[in-house]
Amino acid sequence: YNSCIYNLSSRGSCMCDAGWSSPSCACSVGSHLIKCLSVPSIWQNVTQVPVKLLDPDGSASDWLGYGRPALSADSLVLAAGVDGDDDKGSLSGSVVVWERASDQSSFADVVPIKLVDPEGSASDYLGVGGPALSGDGLVLAVGADGDDDLGSSSGSVTVWERSSKSTPFSAVTAIKLVDPDGSASDWLGMGGPCLSSNGLVLTAASHGDDDKGDTSGSVLVWEKTNTSASFANVTVVKLVDSQGSAFDKLGHGGLSLSADGLVLVATSWGDADMGSNSGSVVLWQRSNTSTSFGSVTSVKLTDPDGSASDFLGYRGPAISANGLVLAVASYGDGIMGSGSGSVSVWERTSTSISFSSISPIKLVDPDGSADDRLGRGSPSLSADGLILAVASVWDDDMGSNSGSVSVWDRTSTSVSFTTVTPVKLVDPDGSVDDSLGHGGVALSANGKVLAAASYKDADMGASSGSVIVWESICEGGYTPPSCSS
């Protein structure tokens, strides 16, 4: 029991069922040895059953996980929006947070906490686009696109910030942020906010903003110099697409930031450069945090193979922590059948190279078919850009529109995702119309923990919703938490 068996290559150590590891990281004699992983792909060896998380206070039409869930970098904090929750009035919304002590404990054993906007009211839809977490899990931001503080559906962002993980978010006083230039039907926060890894840069979009024409959209940036400062005291910077026009809906699907907050990406699925609603990607890059994004010239990207009704970026982009890998989906792409969907990936070797000089690669689900809607929810990348996860929300493997998640896992950046066969994940308890991954997928920084939600899951009532989490990479059929690498 002290060495790897099954004739599999490994990283040089065995993995054991929880509680059976010896100090040398080999398995103790007589213990429950789990097969060593085949290098390089951790996801090719997934045999574990994911855990299903519910809101214990959930009820019909809560829509838990309508937007993308969020994971802290270390995978210890998980948050999901419940925009149909009625605690502060019909459809006022809430956020549910699970927090575990280590990656060897399960979220299934955690009692979640529920957060609401203390100023919330009916039809705020708090959490509609999904929450955002800082890398250390100390800052949580959530959008409420139906908030009326600056006019009907002007929108807002609510932020909870704590000093340590020993302080629950429920003990923190939330602050509310609005666009000082906001107005009715701006829908600030609909796509969900985004945070830099250190929690000092916060972004959210108002896709209904009219600065470049009707619903052309804009992006707001709040930035502070240290954790003791409050976002409430920061002067917000507004960004627009310099080439934007009416009905582009910049930021509708959400935003993505590199870990250091130097690269900011938004999408405009209504952009018509490659045909009506073909979509585009808008990127701002600065050299340091002392440079405002407002002084940077944006770069626009399109799918060179794009066409009308591709909806590139409908649910937002994903960029790796180092800002070198960018993934954006086109759920309307018809390569594998009408509405089967695809993912475009731009990859550069240095931040000094512009993404505009890079030819993207296109990925599809090899098992895909018409109306699978690959990329209807936002994609997710591991910190190093080696693992990419994207949902096909209307995949039918567990019943019509039950949904699935495709994971591409490569060994190094010298390996193209196009040479990798994706692994398909489904909710083993999935059923008709669950729409797994509707809002998007969340990956931990190391890419070993994956969360996706089924907002139409009916365990707590019709469309009450659930969050499905693959917590660790196990072999031999053991259920998590049973191993570590």
Side-chain angles (χ1 to χ4, degrees):
Y1 290 104
N2 290 323
S3 62
C4 296
I5 57 175
Y6 302 104
N7 296 316
L8 294 177
S9 60
S10 75
R11 291 183 174 88
S13 63
C14 295
M15 294 182 301
C16 307
D17 201 1
W20 292 92
S21 298
S22 69
S24 64
C25 296
C27 296
S28 303
V29 173
S31 70
H32 295 178
L33 179 66
I34 299 172
K35 285 192 294 185
C36 294
L37 292 179
S38 294
V39 173
S41 176
I42 59 174
W43 284 102
Q44 295 289 349
N45 296 278
V46 172
T47 60
Q48 63 159 299
V49 176
V51 297
K52 177 185 282 194
L53 306 177
L54 306 171
D55 176 4
D57 188 42
S59 59
S61 300
D62 269 1
W63 302 317
L64 170 66
Y66 181 87
R68 173 182 174 176
L71 274 167
S72 59
D74 60 9
S75 78
L76 300 186
V77 186
L78 169 65
V82 191
D83 62 290
D85 196 307
D86 300 330
D87 282 18
K88 301 291 285 186
S90 178
L91 306 177
S92 52
S94 65
V95 184
V96 180
V97 181
W98 293 263
E99 188 161 2
R100 56 182 181 168
S102 77
D103 61 5
Q104 292 301 289
S105 57
S106 174
F107 283 118
D109 298 325
V110 172
V111 177
I113 63 169
K114 177 187 283 192
L115 305 173
V116 297
D117 175 6
E119 300 179 30
S121 59
S123 299
D124 274 358
Y125 297 101
L126 179 70
V128 63
L133 282 164
S134 58
D136 56 13
L138 299 184
V139 185
L140 170 66
V142 190
D145 73 311
D147 194 304
D148 299 331
D149 282 16
L150 288 169
S152 178
S153 296
S154 52
S156 66
V157 178
T158 302
V159 182
W160 290 263
E161 185 167 1
R162 56 186 180 168
S163 57
S164 71
K165 286 184 178 178
S166 62
T167 301
F169 282 117
S170 56
V172 173
T173 301
I175 63 169
K176 179 186 284 190
L177 306 174
V178 296
D179 175 6
D181 187 42
S183 59
S185 299
D186 273 358
W187 296 299
L188 173 65
M190 182 178 185
C194 186
L195 283 160
S196 59
S197 182
N198 61 11
L200 298 183
V201 184
L202 168 64
T203 64
S206 297
H207 75 272
D209 195 305
D210 300 329
D211 282 18
K212 301 291 285 187
D214 189 17
T215 62
S216 53
S218 65
V219 176
L220 302 180
V221 182
W222 291 264
E223 186 163 8
K224 54 184 186 175
T225 55
N226 57 70
T227 56
S228 62
S230 172
F231 283 118
N233 299 324
V234 170
T235 301
V236 65
V237 174
K238 178 185 282 191
L239 307 174
V240 297
D241 175 6
S242 58
Q243 302 176 46
S245 58
F247 312 117
D248 276 358
K249 298 180 174 62
L250 176 69
H252 169 274
L255 309 159
S256 189
L257 277 165
S258 58
D260 57 13
L262 299 185
V263 184
L264 169 61
V265 190
T267 54
S268 298
W269 63 261
D271 194 302
D273 283 14
M274 303 296 288
S276 178
N277 295 329
S278 53
S280 65
V281 182
V282 183
L283 183 145
W284 293 263
Q285 181 171 331
R286 56 185 179 169
S287 56
N288 55 65
T289 55
S290 62
T291 300
S292 170
F293 280 118
S295 65
V296 172
T297 301
S298 60
V299 173
K300 177 185 280 192
L301 308 173
T302 58
D303 174 5
D305 188 41
S307 59
S309 300
D310 272 358
F311 300 104
L312 176 68
Y314 183 83
R315 271 293 179 179
I319 195 161
S320 58
N322 58 15
L324 300 182
V325 184
L326 170 65
V328 187
S330 299
Y331 83 83
D333 200 319
I335 294 176
M336 302 297 289
S338 177
S340 54
S342 67
V343 184
S344 295
V345 181
W346 289 261
E347 186 163 7
R348 56 186 180 176
T349 56
S350 166
T351 55
S352 63
I353 298 172
S354 173
F355 279 115
S356 61
S357 65
I358 303 295
S359 296
I361 61 170
K362 182 174 283 191
L363 306 173
V364 297
D365 175 6
D367 188 43
S369 58
D371 293 323
D372 272 0
R373 300 293 197 265
L374 176 68
R376 173 61 174 74
S378 60
S380 186
L381 284 161
S382 59
D384 56 14
L386 298 185
I387 301 173
L388 168 65
V390 191
S392 295
V393 299
W394 286 357
D395 192 303
D396 299 331
D397 282 18
M398 300 300 289
S400 177
N401 301 338
S402 52
S404 66
V405 178
S406 294
V407 182
W408 286 261
D409 184 3
R410 56 183 180 164
T411 56
S412 70
T413 55
S414 63
V415 176
S416 171
F417 281 119
T418 58
T419 65
V420 174
T421 301
V423 174
K424 179 183 282 192
L425 306 175
V426 297
D427 174 8
D429 188 43
S431 60
V432 172
D433 291 330
D434 273 358
S435 302
L436 177 67
H438 171 272
V441 180
L443 280 170
S444 59
N446 63 10
K448 295 181 181 181
V449 179
L450 184 153
S454 296
Y455 83 100
K456 287 190 174 181
D457 193 306
D459 283 18
M460 301 292 288
S463 297
S464 52
S466 65
V467 180
I468 313 301
V469 187
W470 286 262
E471 293 183 316
S472 51
I473 310 305
C474 303
E475 283 290 330
Y478 292 91
T479 55
S482 60
C483 60
S484 64
S485 60

